[in-house]
Amino acid sequence: MNYKQLLRKYTKPSKKGFNLVELVATIAVIAITSGATLSVFLMVHQVTNDASEITVNQFNVTQMERLIRNEVVVASDIDIALGAGFNTGGAYSADVIENDEYIMYDSVTKSVCFKRADSSGNFKTVFVIDDVSEMQISVAPLNDVVADKDGQPYKFFYNVVTAHYEYSGGFVLNNTKIGSDESMQYAAVKTKTLNWKSGSMDNDYVFAFHREVTDVPDSSTP
Protein backbone atom coordinates (compact mmCIF):
# COMPACT_ATOMS: atom_id res chain seq x y z
CA MET A 1 0.00 0.00 0.00
CA ASN A 2 1.50 3.37 -1.03
CA TYR A 3 1.05 6.74 0.69
CA LYS A 4 -1.80 7.85 -1.59
CA GLN A 5 -3.80 4.73 -0.74
CA LEU A 6 -3.02 5.18 2.95
CA LEU A 7 -4.15 8.81 2.86
CA ARG A 8 -7.27 7.92 0.88
CA LYS A 9 -8.11 5.33 3.49
CA TYR A 10 -8.12 7.90 6.32
CA THR A 11 -9.93 10.60 4.34
CA LYS A 12 -12.93 8.44 3.47
CA PRO A 13 -16.05 8.99 5.58
CA SER A 14 -16.32 6.46 8.33
CA LYS A 15 -19.42 5.22 10.08
CA LYS A 16 -17.30 4.59 13.13
CA GLY A 17 -16.85 8.32 13.81
CA PHE A 18 -14.29 10.94 12.77
CA ASN A 19 -11.63 10.12 10.24
CA LEU A 20 -8.04 11.22 10.88
CA VAL A 21 -8.23 14.48 8.91
CA GLU A 22 -11.45 15.52 10.64
CA LEU A 23 -9.93 14.69 14.01
CA VAL A 24 -6.80 16.75 13.28
CA ALA A 25 -8.94 19.66 12.03
CA THR A 26 -11.14 19.50 15.14
CA ILE A 27 -8.11 19.49 17.43
CA ALA A 28 -6.66 22.46 15.53
CA VAL A 29 -9.88 24.45 15.83
CA ILE A 30 -10.11 23.66 19.55
CA ALA A 31 -6.49 24.70 20.05
CA ILE A 32 -7.00 27.99 18.21
CA THR A 33 -10.25 28.71 20.04
CA SER A 34 -8.72 27.82 23.39
CA GLY A 35 -5.79 30.15 22.71
CA ALA A 36 -8.13 33.00 21.87
CA THR A 37 -10.25 32.29 24.93
CA LEU A 38 -7.17 32.22 27.14
CA SER A 39 -5.92 35.53 25.70
CA VAL A 40 -9.27 37.19 26.33
CA PHE A 41 -9.38 35.77 29.86
CA LEU A 42 -5.88 37.04 30.64
CA MET A 43 -6.73 40.46 29.20
CA VAL A 44 -9.93 40.73 31.26
CA HIS A 45 -8.06 39.54 34.34
CA GLN A 46 -5.36 42.19 33.85
CA VAL A 47 -7.90 44.95 33.26
CA THR A 48 -9.77 43.89 36.40
CA ASN A 49 -6.58 43.94 38.44
CA ASP A 50 -5.64 47.37 37.09
CA ALA A 51 -9.10 48.72 37.84
CA SER A 52 -8.97 47.31 41.36
CA GLU A 53 -5.57 48.90 42.00
CA ILE A 54 -6.76 52.25 40.66
CA THR A 55 -9.84 52.09 42.89
CA VAL A 56 -7.75 51.32 45.97
CA ASN A 57 -5.29 54.12 45.17
CA GLN A 58 -8.13 56.60 44.62
CA PHE A 59 -9.63 55.61 47.96
CA ASN A 60 -6.26 56.01 49.73
CA VAL A 61 -5.68 59.41 48.12
CA THR A 62 -9.18 60.58 49.05
CA GLN A 63 -8.76 59.49 52.66
CA MET A 64 -5.30 61.04 52.88
CA GLU A 65 -6.52 64.34 51.43
CA ARG A 66 -9.48 64.41 53.82
CA LEU A 67 -7.32 63.72 56.86
CA ILE A 68 -4.67 66.32 55.98
CA ARG A 69 -7.25 68.96 55.15
CA ASN A 70 -9.31 68.31 58.30
CA GLU A 71 -6.25 68.70 60.49
CA VAL A 72 -4.36 71.54 58.83
CA VAL A 73 -7.01 73.77 57.24
CA VAL A 74 -8.05 75.07 60.70
CA ALA A 75 -4.44 75.66 61.78
CA SER A 76 -3.24 78.82 63.48
CA ASP A 77 0.15 79.89 64.84
CA ILE A 78 1.94 77.67 62.33
CA ASP A 79 5.69 77.07 62.39
CA ILE A 80 8.53 74.89 61.15
CA ALA A 81 10.98 73.84 63.86
CA LEU A 82 13.20 71.04 65.14
CA GLY A 83 10.97 68.19 66.25
CA ALA A 84 13.01 67.53 69.39
CA GLY A 85 11.94 70.92 70.73
CA PHE A 86 8.38 69.71 71.31
CA ASN A 87 9.28 66.69 73.41
CA THR A 88 9.45 66.85 77.19
CA GLY A 89 12.29 69.18 78.15
CA GLY A 90 12.64 70.52 74.62
CA ALA A 91 12.98 74.18 73.72
CA TYR A 92 9.27 74.67 72.96
CA SER A 93 7.70 72.09 75.29
CA ALA A 94 6.83 74.67 77.96
CA ASP A 95 4.67 76.54 75.43
CA VAL A 96 2.73 73.46 74.27
CA ILE A 97 -1.01 73.65 74.91
CA GLU A 98 -3.91 71.32 74.18
CA ASN A 99 -4.60 70.70 70.48
CA ASP A 100 -1.15 71.80 69.42
CA GLU A 101 -0.13 69.46 66.64
CA TYR A 102 2.83 68.67 64.44
CA ILE A 103 3.52 66.60 61.33
CA MET A 104 6.76 64.63 61.20
CA TYR A 105 8.47 62.16 58.87
CA ASP A 106 10.00 58.87 60.02
CA SER A 107 12.58 57.81 57.43
CA VAL A 108 13.02 54.37 59.07
CA THR A 109 9.38 53.31 58.78
CA LYS A 110 8.77 55.61 55.77
CA SER A 111 5.69 57.10 57.36
CA VAL A 112 4.27 60.55 57.99
CA CYS A 113 2.86 60.95 61.50
CA PHE A 114 0.37 63.49 62.83
CA LYS A 115 0.78 64.05 66.58
CA ARG A 116 -1.55 66.10 68.79
CA ALA A 117 -1.08 67.39 72.35
CA ASP A 118 -3.54 66.42 75.05
CA SER A 119 -4.59 68.60 77.99
CA SER A 120 -1.30 67.77 79.74
CA GLY A 121 0.79 68.84 76.76
CA ASN A 122 1.79 65.28 75.85
CA PHE A 123 1.76 64.44 72.16
CA LYS A 124 -0.18 61.40 70.95
CA THR A 125 -0.28 59.98 67.43
CA VAL A 126 -3.52 60.94 65.64
CA PHE A 127 -2.97 59.07 62.40
CA VAL A 128 -0.19 57.81 60.15
CA ILE A 129 0.32 57.80 56.37
CA ASP A 130 2.30 54.66 55.52
CA ASP A 131 4.64 53.79 52.66
CA VAL A 132 5.76 57.39 52.01
CA SER A 133 9.06 57.55 50.15
CA GLU A 134 9.01 61.35 49.96
CA MET A 135 6.82 64.23 51.13
CA GLN A 136 7.28 67.92 50.54
CA ILE A 137 5.58 70.66 52.55
CA SER A 138 5.68 74.32 51.56
CA VAL A 139 4.44 77.29 53.58
CA ALA A 140 4.33 80.78 52.10
CA PRO A 141 2.33 84.03 52.20
CA LEU A 142 -0.77 83.96 50.04
CA ASN A 143 0.78 86.59 47.78
CA ASP A 144 4.53 86.25 48.19
CA VAL A 145 5.32 88.60 45.28
CA VAL A 146 4.43 91.88 46.98
CA ALA A 147 6.93 93.47 49.36
CA ASP A 148 4.48 94.14 52.18
CA LYS A 149 3.06 90.79 53.24
CA ASP A 150 1.59 91.87 56.57
CA GLY A 151 -2.03 90.91 57.09
CA GLN A 152 -1.95 88.12 54.53
CA PRO A 153 -2.84 84.54 55.47
CA TYR A 154 -0.42 81.72 54.74
CA LYS A 155 -0.93 79.06 52.09
CA PHE A 156 0.02 75.41 52.58
CA PHE A 157 1.06 73.01 49.83
CA TYR A 158 2.04 69.36 50.04
CA ASN A 159 3.21 66.62 47.71
CA VAL A 160 3.17 62.96 48.79
CA VAL A 161 5.00 60.20 46.92
CA THR A 162 4.38 56.52 47.70
CA ALA A 163 5.11 53.28 45.86
CA HIS A 164 1.58 53.28 44.44
CA TYR A 165 0.62 56.89 43.82
CA GLU A 166 1.72 60.53 43.97
CA TYR A 167 -0.59 63.28 45.12
CA SER A 168 -0.36 67.05 45.46
CA GLY A 169 -2.72 69.44 47.20
CA GLY A 170 -2.95 72.77 48.93
CA PHE A 171 -5.19 75.33 50.58
CA VAL A 172 -5.19 78.69 52.34
CA LEU A 173 -4.74 78.81 56.13
CA ASN A 174 -7.34 81.48 56.86
CA ASN A 175 -6.71 81.41 60.64
CA THR A 176 -3.21 82.82 60.15
CA LYS A 177 -2.32 86.46 59.56
CA ILE A 178 1.25 87.54 58.82
CA GLY A 179 2.43 90.19 61.25
CA SER A 180 -0.50 89.79 63.64
CA ASP A 181 0.18 86.34 65.12
CA GLU A 182 3.16 84.27 66.16
CA SER A 183 3.36 82.16 63.02
CA MET A 184 6.74 81.17 61.60
CA GLN A 185 8.69 82.50 64.58
CA TYR A 186 10.93 79.44 64.87
CA ALA A 187 11.51 79.31 61.13
CA ALA A 188 12.55 82.98 61.09
CA VAL A 189 11.38 83.28 57.47
CA LYS A 190 7.93 83.77 55.97
CA THR A 191 8.46 81.16 53.23
CA LYS A 192 9.76 77.70 54.04
CA THR A 193 9.84 74.27 52.38
CA LEU A 194 10.51 70.90 53.96
CA ASN A 195 11.52 67.97 51.78
CA TRP A 196 11.21 64.75 53.76
CA LYS A 197 12.89 61.65 52.32
CA SER A 198 15.59 59.14 53.17
CA GLY A 199 18.85 60.91 54.09
CA SER A 200 17.37 64.43 54.08
CA MET A 201 18.48 66.96 56.69
CA ASP A 202 14.86 68.16 56.77
CA ASN A 203 13.80 64.95 58.53
CA ASP A 204 14.74 66.55 61.87
CA TYR A 205 12.18 69.31 61.32
CA VAL A 206 8.42 69.23 61.77
CA PHE A 207 5.49 71.36 60.64
CA ALA A 208 3.87 72.53 63.87
CA PHE A 209 0.57 74.33 64.37
CA HIS A 210 -2.26 74.94 66.79
CA ARG A 211 -5.39 73.16 65.66
CA GLU A 212 -8.41 75.39 66.16
CA VAL A 213 -11.28 73.27 67.49
CA THR A 214 -14.67 74.05 65.96
CA ASP A 215 -18.07 72.71 66.95
CA VAL A 216 -19.37 70.08 64.55
CA PRO A 217 -23.16 70.36 64.02
CA ASP A 218 -25.20 67.41 65.18
CA SER A 219 -26.07 65.33 62.11
CA SER A 220 -29.50 64.60 63.58
CA THR A 221 -30.38 68.31 63.62
CA PRO A 222 -32.65 69.19 60.65
Side-chain angles (χ1 to χ4, degrees):
M1 183 180 295
N2 57 32
Y3 289 111
K4 290 183 180 180
Q5 292 174 327
L6 181 63
L7 184 60
R8 190 178 299 113
K9 173 183 177 182
Y10 288 108
T11 55
K12 289 181 180 179
S14 173
K15 295 182 181 180
K16 298 179 181 180
F18 293 107
N19 59 38
L20 180 61
V21 173
E22 291 171 335
L23 184 60
V24 171
T26 302
I27 293 174
V29 170
I30 292 174
I32 294 172
T33 306
S34 298
T37 303
L38 181 60
S39 298
V40 172
F41 172 78
L42 292 176
M43 181 182 69
V44 172
H45 182 67
Q46 184 62 46
V47 170
T48 303
N49 283 346
D50 292 344
S52 298
E53 184 175 349
I54 291 172
T55 301
V56 171
N57 289 342
Q58 287 177 337
F59 174 79
N60 289 337
V61 166
T62 301
Q63 291 296 98
M64 178 188 67
E65 179 184 28
R66 182 179 64 82
L67 290 169
I68 292 176
R69 180 174 290 275
N70 285 351
E71 295 301 311
V72 183
V73 77
V74 292
S76 65
D77 296 336
I78 63 172
D79 227 313
I80 289 177
L82 285 169
F86 293 92
N87 296 325
T88 303
Y92 322 121
S93 58
D95 299 325
V96 173
I97 59 176
E98 187 175 7
N99 290 320
D100 278 356
E101 196 163 327
Y102 66 82
I103 311 172
M104 60 163 290
Y105 179 66
D106 189 332
S107 60
V108 176
T109 60
K110 291 187 175 181
S111 58
V112 173
C113 301
F114 284 65
K115 295 182 177 289
R116 187 185 305 160
D118 58 20
S119 57
S120 300
N122 298 315
F123 283 95
K124 310 291 184 182
T125 299
V126 181
F127 67 89
V128 177
I129 304 174
D130 293 316
D131 194 27
V132 178
S133 57
E134 183 175 357
M135 180 170 180
Q136 187 177 84
I137 287 178
S138 296
V139 180
L142 182 59
N143 184 358
D144 53 2
V145 177
V146 298
D148 185 9
K149 301 177 178 61
D150 284 352
Q152 292 187 37
Y154 282 93
K155 55 187 177 182
F156 176 87
F157 293 101
Y158 60 94
N159 185 71
V160 182
V161 180
T162 74
H164 305 287
Y165 59 87
E166 180 174 350
Y167 183 77
S168 297
F171 39 82
V172 177
L173 302 175
N174 287 313
N175 290 336
T176 60
K177 290 292 184 288
I178 297 173
S180 60
D181 61 16
E182 298 180 357
S183 291
M184 302 300 282
Q185 297 299 307
Y186 306 142
V189 291
K190 291 183 174 65
T191 301
K192 182 71 175 178
T193 298
L194 290 179
N195 192 19
W196 292 325
K197 60 182 179 179
S198 179
S200 173
M201 297 289 291
D202 288 346
N203 295 346
D204 294 332
Y205 290 82
V206 301
F207 173 72
F209 57 94
H210 179 71
R211 181 177 181 272
E212 298 289 347
V213 179
T214 57
D215 292 330
V216 179
D218 188 348
S219 59
S220 62
T221 304

